[in-house]
């Protein structure tokens, strides 16, 4: 594995366990705390903790390869593991708050539910928070959570995230979906909890940590993380198609690999996936190199990060769909391995960070125009 993660033996052991337990995770709709602890052992949840607080901040391309590898075994678990990058959000908190957050160690699991942004009552210390929020992925194993509250002039009126301890939050286990079923993206409810202002931050706002990782595009990084999940799932689909090539159908027809349409479809899918993957990692390396050398991230860099991630997520979803198409009638069975891959692959491409509108926004910036999507930068 890339530098910064545990060694290959540890990875193989964790991925073997994931292969054995992924049906358990999907049946209960979440990755449990004991397996998230295994992901901590790999280094996933210290990869974005500032070095000043004991973390091992990892170059984004290396972290993304780790997410890709996990997602190639199970997309939902890759989705949860990807939140090991969320310390780049938390770097916006005041340094004293971060010191308290990481007081027990750098391996902090953060789960956030930003929307809908619910109104709050201002207090002398901060905000009285009350409401219900959706899509709190990984919340069942989170050490700390946040919910979205209205912004103010200090943050250009962008929504704030209010930090909470798990015991201050009710988790409503209502996650009933076809894709990323084990991500545990449940609703969370908060009932009149006061959150001090120093425990809130603007998502994607200015970092309080002067280390290279926290100069990398925060929102763009999260888009890349979600896209890496789609990449891992597509990789699994192509691996399945490669192995299935020797299979004969119930009609007694030649093996799939002896049929021109199967060979052609497989070759086109491999070409599309590898091309999108190369663009994606090329951009991640280029932008990281600029940041690590002390440079600033340009608008063009940010646009390329968003564009390459969006293109990868869309390509991955299309590739899995095409693999299902040329693999034949058997894929309609709900128990067929490609069915889960197909359902999981759609989710990253539907995320707000990776929707088709990002092509328009990136194109505008690359052509010297203002972005067409709010919060693109």
């Amino acid at each position: 594995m890339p530098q910064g993660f545990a060694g290959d033996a540890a990875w193989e052991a964790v991925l073997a366990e994931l292969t054995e337990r992924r049906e358990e995770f999907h049946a209960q709709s979440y990755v449990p705390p004991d397996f998230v602890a295994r992901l901590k052992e790999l280094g996933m949840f210290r990869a974005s903790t500032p070095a000043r607080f004991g973390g091992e901040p990892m170059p984004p391309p290396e972290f993304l390869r780790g997410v890709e590898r996990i997602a190639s075994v199970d997309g939902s678990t890759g989705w949860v593991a990807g939140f090991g990058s969320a310390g780049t959000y938390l770097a916006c908190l005041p340094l004293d708050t971060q010191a308290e957050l990481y007081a027990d160690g750098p391996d902090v699991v953060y789960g956030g539910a930003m929307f809908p942004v619910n109104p709050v009552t201002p207090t002398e210390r901060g905000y009285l928070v009350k409401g219900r929020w959706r899509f709190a992925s990984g919340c069942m194993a989170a050490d700390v959570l946040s919910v979205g509250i209205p912004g103010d002039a200090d943050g250009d009126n962008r929504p704030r995230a209010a930090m909470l301890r798990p015991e201050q939050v009710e988790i409503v286990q209502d996650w009933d979906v076809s894709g990323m079923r084990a991500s545990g993206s449940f609703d969370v409810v908060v009932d009149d909890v006061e959150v001090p202002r120093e425990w809130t931050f603007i998502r994607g706002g200015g970092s309080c940590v002067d280390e290279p990782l926290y100069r990398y595009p925060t929102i763009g990084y999260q888009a890349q993380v979600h896209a890496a999940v789609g990449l891992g799932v597509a990789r699994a689909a192509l691996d399945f198609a490669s192995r299935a090539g020797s299979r004969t159908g119930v009609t007694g027809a030649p093996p799939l690999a002896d049929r021109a349409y199967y060979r052609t479809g497989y070759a086109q899918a491999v070409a599309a996936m590898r091309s999108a993957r190369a663009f994606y990692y090329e951009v991640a390396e280029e932008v990281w190199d600029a940041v690590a050398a002390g440079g600033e991230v340009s608008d063009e860099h940010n646009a390329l990060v968003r564009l390459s991630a969006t293109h990868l997520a869309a390509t991955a979803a299309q590739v899995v769909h095409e693999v299902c198409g040329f693999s034949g009638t058997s894929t309609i069975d709900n128990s067929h391995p490609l069915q889960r891959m197909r359902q999981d692959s759609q989710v990253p491409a539907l995320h707000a960070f990776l929707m088709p509108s990002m092509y328009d926004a990136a194109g505008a910036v690359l052509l010297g125009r203002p972005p067409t999507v709010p919060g693109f930068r």
Side-chain angles (χ1 to χ4, degrees), residues 138-372:
C139 60
M140 295 294 287
D143 299 309
V144 63
L145 300 105
S146 73
V147 295
I149 65 173
D152 50 40
D154 289 347
D156 295 327
N157 293 312
R158 289 178 293 172
R160 302 186 76 86
M163 304 289 292
L164 298 145
R165 299 185 300 276
E167 61 267 24
Q168 295 175 306
V169 174
E170 175 192 354
I171 296 173
V172 183
Q173 296 190 37
D174 56 351
W175 187 240
D176 185 16
V177 293
S178 59
M180 298 296 171
R181 180 171 178 80
S183 66
S185 303
F186 301 122
D187 285 12
V188 294
V189 176
V190 181
D191 189 12
D192 286 337
V193 175
E194 186 179 32
V195 178
R197 185 172 177 84
E198 63 269 21
W199 281 91
T200 70
F201 64 92
I202 302 296
R203 188 178 70 165
S207 173
C208 294
V209 178
D210 185 18
E211 297 177 20
L213 179 60
Y214 312 100
R215 295 193 292 271
Y216 196 84
T218 307
I219 302 297
Y221 190 18
Q222 296 311 307
Q224 288 177 314
V225 168
H226 296 322
V229 177
L231 169 58
V233 173
R235 192 174 100 182
L238 289 171
D239 286 346
F240 180 87
S242 176
R243 296 192 302 273
S246 60
R247 180 178 60 82
T248 56
V250 295
T251 64
L256 291 171
D258 288 343
R259 307 179 198 182
Y261 73 84
Y262 193 88
R263 295 192 300 267
T264 300
Y266 179 75
Q268 290 173 332
V270 168
M273 201 68 253
R274 293 190 65 164
S275 297
R277 185 181 188 272
F279 176 37
Y280 167 82
Y281 279 118
E282 174 190 324
V283 169
E285 297 279 2
E286 177 184 332
V287 177
W288 172 249
D289 286 347
V291 168
E296 297 293 327
V297 174
S298 67
D299 288 345
E300 180 178 349
H301 276 151
N302 183 66
L304 288 171
V305 165
R306 303 297 296 271
L307 174 61
S308 61
T310 300
H311 182 61
L312 180 69
T315 302
Q318 184 63 31
V319 160
V320 178
H321 175 76
E322 290 171 356
V323 169
C324 288
F326 64 65
S327 294
T329 309
S330 63
T331 63
I332 68 173
D333 193 315
N334 281 331
S335 65
H336 195 284
L338 283 174
Q339 270 300 327
R340 178 173 296 162
M341 297 177 201
R342 181 184 64 79
Q343 292 161 351
D344 284 351
S345 71
Q346 304 305 307
V347 177
L350 293 172
H351 194 278
F353 289 170
L354 297 165
M355 293 181 72
S357 57
M358 297 302 152
Y359 284 109
D360 181 31
V365 173
L366 294 175
L367 290 169
R369 301 293 189 270
T372 55

